[in-house]
Amino acid sequence: MANFFISKLKNMFGMSTDIGIDLGTASVLVHVKDKGIVLCEPSVVAIDKGTGKLYAVGTEAQKMLGRTPGNITAVRPMREGVISDYSTTEMMLKYFIRKVTKNRLFKPRVMICVPSGVTEVEERAVIDAAMQAGGRQVYLIEEPIAAAIGAGIDISRACGSMVVDVGGGTSDIAVISLGGIVVSTSIKVAGDKFDDAIIRFIRKKFNAVIGDRTAEELKKEIGSVYPQGKETFMEVRGRSLLTGLPQSITVSSEDIRDALDEVAVQIVDAVHSVLERTPPELVGDIAENGIVMTGGGAMIEGLDKLLMEKTGIHVYLADDPLSCVAKGTGASLDNLHVLRDKASYMYDLDK
């Protein structure tokens, strides 16, 4: 009876909030019910070493990477899709949840997506962080399921759908039917590995060192994993390994393609391995409907064409691939009756 009146009060005053969080290695996206995506910021936190308190979060903290004085440290608390620094992740989640929930009288229901290969220990770390950050009810959902929902796929049908979600830390590949994952794999090869590959290539070819942000700019501006016809160039600045002084480097799109080739092949191989383990009937569905790609890493030029060439199956990018997981995570709270066995109910403050 008490829960009934609490629910009525929440609805009366508009205080009940459902939040979907795409807790990514590179960025955090937050979806709020009836509002859509309300936050998209880098997964970076700057902390004052002396006090242990937050100095900056998100975009402001990202600007500080590699540029902080001795008393401030800027870190990325998520690595390869999982929490690497629990206390910092908790502070980051708390900051973002408070930022999107103006009224704190009633705590929100929170759905967080996790990679399909996450362990129970890693799940518990995400759950505990969300609880401490202010979640009233905390659920987990696997990234491919959330990505499929966000891409507009009806996952409840008895029909095979294949989703390739390339994020910052992990690539999740799954075949989905009847609301569940039939075959899947999660590899720690995604956007960050593309950046690392560019840094290694620049070091080897030009005897120069560039930072993560410069590598990401190269990837976004002239990066591709499939021949595009017209060659493009970009000038960046780094530090010479020979003199230790600043050095200007002109990098071509062919250079970046060479740098990214090995990483792209690993993603293609992972897709191939999932297809090999997929029941024949579902493979037929996938061949007919195609493969949908989501995630920020999927937006690199030519990845869809490379995958299509290697598999012989039509591949297409979802609308707004960067937001698919966050949208699906938020929408899934309205479909818990369908996803009850797929999303882990972990904590309820009202009980």
Side-chain angles (χ1 to χ4, degrees):
M1 183 62 72
N3 286 347
F4 172 79
F5 284 114
I6 289 174
S7 178
K8 284 290 185 183
L9 281 171
K10 291 173 184 175
N11 293 330
M12 186 184 303
F13 294 103
M15 296 175 182
S16 183
T17 306
D18 285 349
I19 298 176
I21 300 177
D22 178 6
L23 187 62
T25 304
S27 58
V28 175
L29 283 81
V30 179
H31 179 281
V32 174
K33 186 176 180 180
D34 299 327
K35 293 182 180 179
I37 304 293
V38 297
L39 183 145
C40 177
E41 295 202 35
S43 306
V44 184
V45 179
I47 298 174
D48 187 316
K49 290 182 179 179
T51 63
K53 295 182 178 179
L54 284 181
Y55 188 84
V57 181
T59 303
E60 289 301 313
Q62 186 185 44
K63 295 176 183 177
M64 301 177 186
L65 283 172
R67 296 171 174 163
T68 57
N71 65 314
I72 298 172
T73 179
V75 297
R76 294 174 62 179
M78 301 291 295
R79 289 288 177 187
E80 298 180 335
V82 296
I83 294 175
S84 62
D85 186 330
Y86 174 80
S87 59
T88 305
T89 300
E90 181 187 321
M91 286 191 286
M92 180 177 72
L93 271 175
K94 187 176 293 186
Y95 175 86
F96 287 141
I97 289 175
R98 287 181 175 176
K99 189 172 182 178
V100 301
T101 55
K102 304 291 184 182
N103 196 307
R104 301 177 198 169
L105 180 59
F106 294 106
K107 295 186 176 183
R109 294 198 307 169
V110 180
M111 177 76 81
I112 301 179
C113 67
V114 292
S116 56
V118 72
T119 66
E120 288 187 13
V121 173
E122 291 163 344
E123 280 186 355
R124 172 53 62 183
V126 175
I127 294 156
D128 289 345
M131 285 165 48
Q132 294 300 320
R136 172 172 57 88
Q137 294 174 324
V138 178
Y139 300 80
L140 300 184
I141 187 171
E142 290 178 301
E143 275 187 28
I145 294 284
I149 295 172
I153 297 173
D154 183 359
I155 65 170
S156 64
R157 294 188 306 149
C159 178
S161 301
M162 189 171 202
V163 176
V164 178
D165 180 64
V166 185
T170 62
S171 291
D172 287 85
I173 302 107
V175 175
I176 300 167
S177 180
L178 290 171
I181 293 176
V182 181
V183 185
S184 71
T185 191
S186 179
I187 59 172
K188 298 183 186 301
V189 178
D192 286 351
K193 294 296 184 185
F194 282 128
D195 295 344
D196 293 342
I198 292 172
I199 292 171
R200 290 196 304 271
F201 182 88
I202 297 297
R203 176 187 287 268
K204 183 177 180 180
K205 181 171 181 177
F206 297 98
N207 285 314
V209 180
I210 60 172
D212 292 340
R213 292 184 65 188
T214 303
E216 187 173 10
E217 288 172 10
L218 281 167
K219 178 182 68 178
K220 289 180 177 179
E221 294 297 325
I222 63 172
S224 70
V225 295
Y226 196 84
Q228 302 300 308
K230 186 179 179 180
E231 194 76 0
T232 55
F233 299 86
M234 181 175 171
E235 185 174 307
V236 296
R237 296 186 66 83
R239 187 182 75 246
S240 171
L241 288 171
L242 302 177
T243 66
L245 300 175
Q247 176 183 350
S248 292
I249 308 161
T250 300
V251 186
S252 70
S253 54
E254 185 178 353
D255 288 333
I256 302 302
R257 193 159 55 250
D258 290 341
L260 302 182
D261 180 66
E262 184 179 343
V263 180
V265 167
Q266 292 181 60
I267 295 174
V268 172
D269 288 346
V271 173
H272 193 269
S273 72
V274 170
L275 286 170
E276 285 182 330
R277 293 182 283 124
T278 301
E281 292 81 1
L282 296 182
V283 171
D285 294 337
I286 294 166
E288 182 179 346
N289 300 324
I291 298 170
V292 61
M293 296 190 70
T294 64
M299 297 168 68
I300 190 165
E301 194 70 36
L303 186 56
D304 54 341
K305 295 177 182 177
L306 179 66
L307 193 54
M308 196 182 326
E309 181 183 273
K310 298 299 183 181
T311 62
I313 300 172
H314 179 67
V315 179
Y316 64 96
L317 272 177
D319 294 334
D320 194 9
L322 184 63
S323 302
C324 280
V325 171
K327 288 177 180 176
T329 303
S332 60
L333 281 167
D334 290 330
N335 296 280
L336 288 179
H337 59 288
V338 176
L339 298 169
R340 180 64 64 177
D341 296 332
K342 315 302 173 189
S344 306
Y345 169 70
M346 306 306 298
Y347 186 71
D348 187 346
L349 209 71
D350 290 343
K351 288 190 173 182

